[in-house]
Amino acid sequence: MMPSYFFAHGAPSIVLEDNEYTKLLKQFKDTMPRPKAIVLFSAHWEETVQAVGAAQTYDTIYDFGGFQDELYQLTYPAGSDRALVEQIQALFTEHGIQSVQDERRGLDHGAWAVLKLLYPEADIPVVALSVNRYLPNELQYRIGKALGALREQDVLIIGSGGTVHNLRLLNWGQPDGAEPWAEQFDQWLEHKLETWDTEALFRYREQAPHAQDAVPTNEHFIPLLLAMGTGDVNRKAELLHRSYQFGSLSLSCWQFN
């Protein structure tokens, strides 16, 4: 069964960086079988009804400003997979989740920056999926769980977001470190993920230390719950990497088996 993953996508410039985290992403394709297709939830595609990307060839969306000129020249011209799109919608329907196809939207940087590091050739079909910040955490998990069966078909499922993601508290003088509160939040999160304590995770805002600072808005946290939900059968979580940028931005990778 193909594992599923949560990848923090950091700032858009991550695709140009050379550090331990980007090395892990660049080496990823050499550590596992080639997937038949990739299904990816991005924190930067928000809809109130679950959207399923069905573009024949995705445009590259530059949903950021003020970064290196080189970033605006990068493209990721992957295409969707019509049969897989329909299968995903059928799974959602089976689990009582409404969904719609979207043939127009391209890949935002939460999707293409990660994919460019993982599979730079853009030669694997990608089905992009939206997130909805207004749903309860229990339902976020259930949306991921609905897609768990795809892992038996060599489909790689990815949630792209960030566990500690507070742009208002960035410390530009601390490019490679974390604030103590950020580490404390992630340590709490690590324990709850490894013990598969969904009751605590669904109520992380009330129970986790410094949750309001770590997750001021929840759209970047949701992909973690979605990816975790896909692993509901075996319930095994493993932290593959964690580092920080500018005090309040974590770069983490979780594997769900």
Side-chain angles (χ1 to χ4, degrees), residues 82-217:
R82 176 64 62 179
L84 182 56
V85 167
E86 293 177 357
Q87 184 181 6
I88 288 171
Q89 288 199 279
L91 288 169
F92 282 148
T93 298
E94 180 183 334
H95 289 81
I97 300 161
Q98 182 184 1
S99 67
V100 295
Q101 291 187 23
D102 188 319
E103 298 180 353
R104 293 189 173 186
R105 183 182 168 87
L107 297 176
D108 56 67
H109 82 269
W112 68 257
V114 169
L115 292 172
K116 191 80 171 176
L117 291 166
L118 296 174
Y119 297 100
E121 296 84 6
D123 57 354
I124 298 174
V126 175
V127 177
L129 297 175
S130 65
V131 302
N132 182 354
R133 71 168 71 197
Y134 302 107
L135 299 178
N137 291 327
E138 292 88 342
L139 184 52
Q140 309 286 5
Y141 182 92
R142 186 157 65 88
I143 290 171
K145 183 179 177 180
L147 301 184
L150 296 177
R151 298 170 55 207
E152 300 177 5
Q153 303 172 27
D154 296 328
V155 173
L156 174 62
I157 305 175
I158 295 172
S160 173
T163 56
V164 176
H165 189 272
N166 192 327
L167 303 183
R168 293 174 299 173
L169 297 181
L170 291 177
N171 182 350
W172 297 105
Q174 193 178 17
D176 298 316
E179 298 292 343
W181 59 262
E183 292 183 308
Q184 290 168 24
F185 175 82
D186 267 342
Q187 288 165 2
W188 179 92
L189 185 62
E190 178 180 355
H191 175 68
K192 300 306 179 183
L193 285 166
E194 290 180 343
T195 58
W196 214 271
D197 187 348
T198 54
E199 288 301 313
L201 288 166
F202 294 161
R203 289 152 185 79
Y204 72 91
R205 284 202 176 278
E206 296 80 32
Q207 297 190 21
H210 310 291
Q212 188 57 49
D213 286 334
V215 189
T217 57

Side-chain angles (χ1 to χ4, degrees), residues 35-49:
K36 180 181 73 174
I38 300 169
V39 172
L40 188 147
F41 291 93
S42 172
H44 289 275
W45 185 10
E46 292 192 61
E47 302 286 353
T48 54
V49 175

